[in-house]
Amino acid sequence: MSERVPILKIGDVLLVSIQIDLEDQMVMDLQEDLSQRIVDTGARGVVIDISALEIVDSFVGRMLASIAAISRVLGAETVVVGMRPAVAMTLVELGLSLGGVRTALNLEQGIGELRRSRRNGSVPR
Amino acid sequence: MTNVGESDRLVGLLTQGREEFTGKWVRGVTSTLAGRLTAAEVQQDLNELYTALVEALRNGGVATRNEAYGEVRSLLTELSRNRARQGFSPTETAFSVLALKDVLEPALADGADVKAYLQLARVLDDLGLYTIEVHAKTREEIISAQAEQLLELSTPVVKLWDGVVGVPLVGTLDSARTQVVMEKLLQSLLDLNATHAIVDITGVPAVDTQVAQHLLKTVVAARMMGAECVISGIRPQIAQTIVALGIEFGDITTKATLADALRHALDRIEERGPVEIGGLL
Amino acid sequence: MHESPITGNGDVVKARQAVRVLAQEARLSLVDQTKLVTAASELARNTLSYGGGGTMRASIVTRGTSTGVKVVFSDQGPGIPDLDLALTDGWSSGRGMGLGLSGARRLADEFTLDSAPGKGTTVSVLKWAR
């Protein structure tokens, strides 16, 4: 029962919307799948929507940070969007600040953020 | 358990002397309340209580844990709650019950009835303690309700501009309040699609390391949601304490006034330009 | 009282869900629910990674006028030699960021840790409804 999180491609952006409570294996699979898709598609942006996630623990937090780092190495900028207030407050208390991960309030803002960083040339081609 | 004969005797005596006893009881209690309650009000409470007490003695003897005392307890609960809300002290509240001992003492405490009197005294002591307990509990409820109201009152989140929300903080920041402020602020970011938040601390009397910690957490949480948070309203004295205490605000933007912070936020919004997603797709 | 084994990866998700149900039943605020469930998630993963599996027991508790949820994790693993060190941020002997124990302690209202080398580990977290 190795369910996988779907990765959608829109233009040169990969969109991941996490809709269910993730098992650890799915988290690790996602990291692997996403790296592969970035390479295969030449995507230059990744948006991870976590608005459906009721909790983010240190394991998932670490995954988000490493996805951001990996995709940056592969030439794509990652934006994590839709974090719920209760989740943000819990992560702060937990001692996690997701430094190095771009965030935005929602999908629209997230794509705007990618577009902006493209315009400012902060993503290597 | 007591023997039935004694409580029967008590019931008889109390029923017989009802007029005299309740009259003295009401006078005794009224005099200690120094006019804050009228004799008529006291009389109503105590008459009901007296009736319930006699009934409880008849059915349950002197065992106050007995369910026959249910009515007495519920009357006492109501009485204590009211007294606590009206601001009477625990002693004044308990005295409403204990005064009955003084009334009955001359009538019962000599000769054959002394044993019955002692047992009744114990019942009244028990009930007196019960009123104190209810009194204390009521006060606790009042305090926690007020604390909650204060939390609600003191943390309005206001929209300052399109995309900018602000919270003017007033008073001391403890962790319970921080949680409420934080939650409201973060929720408003989502609701108003605001990318900038301003926490104004003009009304915060002092900033120590703990308050700074709370402010920091708020800023970091907002940032994780994708919004920028500026702290404003840092008065000169507070700036001095912050430096003296060696508090590190890290890369958090701070401004002297709310106006400065708003200008900063608007500049940033202008810099970033509008959110356009059409061209990317 | 809810009791469940923590022996596989899927059990961490189940543990989270069980704690969430109790937290809602005990009327914890949304933020407090999230904090408790996150703490439970950290501890469940610890039980799995360091303790070699164990059990979770979760229950609603009352004290005076307060209601809360208590979650206890126990395992028969190698135990923790230095409790102070284990509660330091960033300390980790397995996978993870070393925020498990210290993070769970910060997220809970009450926290206990009982462990000794060879004796296994029992950790509990408690969160009160405000």
Side-chain angles (χ1 to χ4, degrees), chain A residues 10-13 80 82-89 91-93 96-98 103-109 111-116 118-119, chain B residues 178-180 182-183 186-187 189-190 193-195 216-218 220-227 271-281:
Chain A
I10 317 169
D12 56 3
V13 173
V80 172
M83 183 183 291
R84 296 184 178 194
V87 169
M89 291 168 69
L91 280 179
V92 171
E93 213 62 56
L96 221 61
S97 62
L98 295 188
T103 51
L105 288 175
N106 49 42
L107 182 58
E108 193 173 40
Q109 297 270 3
I111 291 181
E113 182 79 22
L114 283 178
R115 186 181 155 72
R116 221 167 359 250
R118 174 95 38 96
R119 201 174 49 211
Chain B
T178 309
Q179 177 154 330
V180 173
M182 233 183 179
E183 196 179 354
L186 300 182
Q187 188 59 47
L189 294 175
L190 278 190
N193 197 16
T195 52
L216 238 121
K217 282 182 185 168
T218 310
V220 174
R223 200 175 278 170
M224 281 198 285
M225 287 179 60
E271 223 172 84
R272 293 171 52 155
V275 177
E276 303 163 43
I277 60 170
L280 186 82
L281 298 179

Side-chain angles (χ1 to χ4, degrees), chain A residues 48-85:
Chain A
I48 303 177
D49 173 31
I50 59 167
S51 59
L53 279 190
E54 288 180 336
I55 78 150
V56 171
D57 61 8
S58 61
F59 186 75
V60 173
R62 189 175 58 133
M63 177 274 287
L64 293 174
S66 68
I67 285 180
I70 292 167
S71 50
R72 193 167 298 140
V73 172
L74 296 174
E77 194 66 24
T78 301
V79 184
V80 172
V81 306
M83 183 183 291
R84 296 184 178 194

Side-chain angles (χ1 to χ4, degrees), chain B residues 69-249:
Chain B
Y69 278 82
E71 173 69 10
V72 176
R73 278 173 189 276
S74 73
L75 284 173
L76 283 177
T77 305
E78 201 190 318
L79 183 137
S80 307
R81 283 180 170 279
N82 290 338
R83 296 281 200 277
R85 292 212 183 88
Q86 288 154 349
F88 291 98
S89 72
T91 309
E92 286 166 330
T93 307
F95 190 73
S96 293
V97 176
L98 299 179
L100 188 56
K101 279 164 76 175
D102 296 343
V103 173
L104 298 179
E105 194 183 318
L108 298 178
D110 50 19
D113 295 323
V114 70
K115 210 163 169 204
Y117 170 74
L118 287 174
Q119 279 181 335
L120 183 64
R122 209 167 296 145
V123 168
L124 293 173
D125 285 345
D126 246 15
L127 298 176
L129 283 176
Y130 179 72
T131 60
I132 293 182
E133 207 176 286
V134 175
H135 187 281
K137 216 173 181 178
T138 307
R139 298 302 289 233
E140 265 171 42
E141 285 166 10
I142 292 173
I143 290 169
S144 69
Q146 283 174 342
E148 218 160 278
Q149 285 167 359
L150 206 62
L151 280 179
E152 291 297 313
L153 269 180
S154 52
T155 54
V157 176
V158 289
K159 178 176 172 177
L160 295 174
W161 208 269
D162 273 344
V164 187
V165 293
V167 202
L169 286 181
V170 177
T172 318
L173 266 189
D174 58 14
S175 51
R177 270 199 68 194
T178 309
Q179 177 154 330
V180 173
V181 174
M182 233 183 179
E183 196 179 354
K184 273 196 174 181
L185 179 66
L186 300 182
Q187 188 59 47
S188 73
L189 294 175
L190 278 190
D191 296 344
L192 299 168
N193 197 16
T195 52
H196 285 78
I198 300 171
V199 177
D200 186 82
I201 60 168
T202 309
V204 175
V207 173
D208 55 14
T209 37
Q210 201 173 356
V211 171
Q213 196 67 31
H214 290 320
L215 290 172
L216 238 121
K217 282 182 185 168
T218 310
V219 173
V220 174
R223 200 175 278 170
M224 281 198 285
M225 287 179 60
E228 232 184 278
C229 188
V230 177
I231 310 284
S232 76
I234 304 195
R235 288 174 280 125
Q237 305 94 296
I238 289 197
Q240 287 173 30
T241 349
I242 288 174
V243 173
L245 287 173
I247 295 169
E248 281 289 338
F249 268 120

Side-chain angles (χ1 to χ4, degrees), chain C residues 10-65:
Chain C
D11 294 335
V12 176
V13 173
K14 281 183 210 146
R16 287 204 286 258
Q17 285 161 354
V19 173
R20 167 82 64 181
V21 169
L22 284 177
Q24 280 166 350
E25 212 173 296
R27 302 186 149 277
L28 262 64
S29 73
L30 182 62
V31 175
D32 288 337
Q33 280 177 34
T34 309
K35 287 184 175 173
L36 182 69
V37 174
T38 307
S41 183
E42 298 292 333
L43 296 178
R45 190 168 288 107
N46 274 359
T47 300
L48 207 56
S49 320
Y50 308 122
T55 52
M56 177 189 87
R57 272 169 295 136
S59 55
I60 293 183
V61 291
T62 52
R63 187 187 301 161
T65 53

Side-chain angles (χ1 to χ4, degrees), chain A residues 3-55:
Chain A
E3 223 177 319
R4 290 179 115 87
V5 181
I7 301 170
L8 310 175
K9 177 177 172 293
I10 317 169
D12 56 3
V13 173
L14 295 179
L15 174 63
V16 180
S17 180
I18 302 174
Q19 292 294 328
I20 55 163
D21 198 357
L22 294 179
E23 284 185 20
D24 293 3
Q25 189 55 47
M26 296 175 68
V27 174
M28 292 184 284
D29 290 345
L30 174 62
Q31 189 169 316
E32 216 163 278
D33 293 351
L34 198 54
S35 320
Q36 191 60 49
R37 282 296 289 278
I38 294 172
V39 174
D40 292 350
T41 61
R44 303 208 343 259
V46 175
V47 178
I48 303 177
D49 173 31
I50 59 167
S51 59
L53 279 190
E54 288 180 336
I55 78 150

